[in-house]
């Protein structure tokens, strides 16, 4: 980064935790007097949560981040549009279409219809997202992790056997109560990073792993062939933010996901899952909550610089302060 040029920040992110963190990064950049934050901030978004439902393509994490940056998100529920209504959803249910446990808001459906139309016209998810981003002043460039459809499938234990279902069925219908055995993204081996992803990582001054679910949000992004390699080769520091505070997950059901892959719900275990770039992993630095400060030395022993700092993103100022600490690792 030259003395007068804007920093180039790349964030790998999932839905709710990801959006709060991205809002914090945008605020931290604005606090530096940067007006064109869209030129500085690229967000690579998980698309493993995506699904086809009632004939439309949903991209829950993409939409959560878009709506949050636009300031039109439902902050109470954590997904969908603020002040949305559900007339079409009730009608779909009368028809027996879709899933009775999965609500499609009217305004949200407008997004899905527009996206599906453009996809059916031959556009790629990357171009659709770029087009959608023009509606609001998001102050960030959003990229899907890949243009391939690699929706997450959860295999659960059932009686003496196993059964597979779409991630959204496991997450919203069963609230992650069915014991997961595996998470897969069929087709991901042949997927490529979306255009712009690898270049953004290669040209970044810092790459941040948001405090999103390490298994079903960050995990799919890292599983796209080429992303892990790009992170390992990046000239910039790769800095992760722990999604664990005080030995517990902050939101969602990440503990169930971590247990399924044999990882403890601790800041140390998640750091170890990502691994040190000094070894064969990804992280140069790991931000740990004050409540987990006791593991800082063990994180350092993994070869990852640890930084103990407040991680609660309970309001915009705290999210910005957290992002500030993360950017500070790269001297930005
Ligand atoms: N989450 C729910 O708990 N119930 C829903 O009915 C629901 C609908 C929904 C519709 C569109 C959308 O983009 C997201 C939606 N979510 C819903 C959130 C979503 O299931 C998950 O929280 C994320 O995919 C996990 O990051």
């Amino acid at each position: 980064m030259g003395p007068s040029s804007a920093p180039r920040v790349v964030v790998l992110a999932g839905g709710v935790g990801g959006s709060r963190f991205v809002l914090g990064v945008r605020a931290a950049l604005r606090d530096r007097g940067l007006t064109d934050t869209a030129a500085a901030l690229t967000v690579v978004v998980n698309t493993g949560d995506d699904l086809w439902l009632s004939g439309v393509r949903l991209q829950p994490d993409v939409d959560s981040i878009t709506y949050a940056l636009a300031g039109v998100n439902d902050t109470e529920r954590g997904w969908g549009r603020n002040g949305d209504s559900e007339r079409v959803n009730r009608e779909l249910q009368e028809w027996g279409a879709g899933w009775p446990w999965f609500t499609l808001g009217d305004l949200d459906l407008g997004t899905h219809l527009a996206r599906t139309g453009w996809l059916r016209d031959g556009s790629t998810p990357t171009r659709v997202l770029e087009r959608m981003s023009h509606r609001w002043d998001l102050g960030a460039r959003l990229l899907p992790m890949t243009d391939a459809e690699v929706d997450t499938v959860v295999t659960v234990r059932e009686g003496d056997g196993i059964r597979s279902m779409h991630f959204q069925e496991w997450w919203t219908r069963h609230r992650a109560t069915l014991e997961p055995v595996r998470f897969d993204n069929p087709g991901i081996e042949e997927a490529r990073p979306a255009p712009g992803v690898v270049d953004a990582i290669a040209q970044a001054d810092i790459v941040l792993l948001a405090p999103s679910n390490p298994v079903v949000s960050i995990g799919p992004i890292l599983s796209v062939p080429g992303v892990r390699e790009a992170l390992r080769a990046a000239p910039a520091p790769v800095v992760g933010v722990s999604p664990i505070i005080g030995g517990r997950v902050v939101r969602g059901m990440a503990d169930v996901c971590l247990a399924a892959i044999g990882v403890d719900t601790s800041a140390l275990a998640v750091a170890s899952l990502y691994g040190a770039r000094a070894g064969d992993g990804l992280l140069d630095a790991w931000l740990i909550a004050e409540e987990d400060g006791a593991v800082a030395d063990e994180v350092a022993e993994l070869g990852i610089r640890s930084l103990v700092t407040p991680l609660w993103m309970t309001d915009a100022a705290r999210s910005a302060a957290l992002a500030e600490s993360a950017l500070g690792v790269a001297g930005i």
Side-chain angles (χ1 to χ4, degrees):
M1 182 179 60
S4 59
S5 57
R8 288 156 302 184
V9 181
V10 172
V11 184
L12 272 49
V16 181
S19 358
R20 290 210 188 143
F21 184 67
V22 168
L23 284 176
V25 175
R26 185 182 65 178
L29 292 172
R30 283 182 176 162
D31 287 348
R32 282 167 172 67
L34 209 70
T35 45
D36 186 10
T37 56
L41 174 57
T42 299
V43 186
V44 179
V45 188
N46 169 45
T47 59
D49 288 21
D50 297 8
L51 70 159
W52 284 100
L53 193 68
S54 297
V56 291
R57 185 71 175 152
L58 273 64
Q59 297 199 289
D61 284 2
V62 164
D63 290 344
S64 285
I65 294 181
T66 305
Y67 294 160
L69 286 167
V72 300
N73 56 320
D74 184 329
T75 49
E76 293 283 304
R77 245 179 359 181
W79 48 270
R81 290 283 294 272
N82 190 24
D84 212 345
S85 47
E86 293 168 11
R87 289 193 68 194
V88 179
N89 194 65
R90 280 194 292 277
E91 194 62 11
L92 284 169
Q93 299 203 346
E94 288 295 329
W95 286 115
W99 285 335
W101 65 87
F102 201 82
T103 308
L104 300 177
D106 294 331
L107 298 176
D108 198 29
L109 258 167
T111 305
H112 311 320
L113 284 168
R115 170 165 45 228
T116 306
W118 290 325
L119 289 173
R120 293 231 187 272
D121 287 345
S123 201
T124 61
T126 302
R127 289 205 302 268
V128 168
L129 183 51
E130 196 202 343
R131 188 165 178 176
M132 292 196 141
S133 298
H134 291 319
R135 174 166 174 194
W136 294 290
D137 178 17
L138 300 183
R141 178 171 68 130
L142 304 191
L143 298 174
M145 65 187 197
T146 179
D147 278 338
E149 283 183 16
V150 292
D151 307 4
T152 303
V153 171
V154 187
T155 301
V156 301
R157 209 178 299 284
E158 199 173 55
D160 290 339
I162 54 168
R163 177 162 75 96
S164 294
M165 64 189 74
H166 190 283
F167 167 77
Q168 293 292 349
E169 181 175 357
W170 179 71
W171 190 259
T172 61
R173 181 185 190 186
H174 299 292
R175 299 278 156 206
T177 52
L178 302 179
E179 187 193 341
V181 184
R182 265 198 342 262
F183 299 94
D184 295 297
N185 295 91
I188 204 157
E189 301 79 13
E190 289 80 44
R192 292 285 161 268
V197 169
V198 169
D199 285 349
I201 293 171
Q203 290 157 17
D205 294 303
I206 186 167
V207 181
L208 298 164
L209 305 193
S212 301
N213 188 315
V215 184
V216 295
S217 296
I218 303 294
I221 305 178
L222 300 178
S223 299
V224 176
V227 170
R228 181 175 283 273
E229 293 76 3
L231 291 171
R232 284 195 46 81
V238 178
V239 180
V241 181
S242 168
I244 311 293
I245 301 184
R248 303 165 75 105
V249 290
V250 176
R251 69 189 70 74
M253 295 153 293
D255 45 352
V256 182
C257 303
L258 286 166
I261 61 162
V263 175
D264 286 346
T265 302
S266 83
L268 175 63
V270 178
S272 171
L273 170 69
Y274 289 142
R277 209 147 68 123
D280 57 4
L282 301 173
L283 294 175
D284 295 302
W286 185 232
L287 269 60
I288 305 173
E290 294 164 308
E291 294 86 336
D292 301 310
V295 303
D297 288 346
E298 287 169 272
V299 171
E301 280 164 26
L302 294 173
I304 302 167
R305 185 177 152 201
S306 64
L307 209 96
V308 179
T309 190
L311 292 192
W312 288 108
M313 295 191 289
T314 37
D315 58 39
R318 285 192 180 89
S319 301
L322 165 56
E324 187 68 42
S325 311
L327 296 177
V329 174
I332 293 171

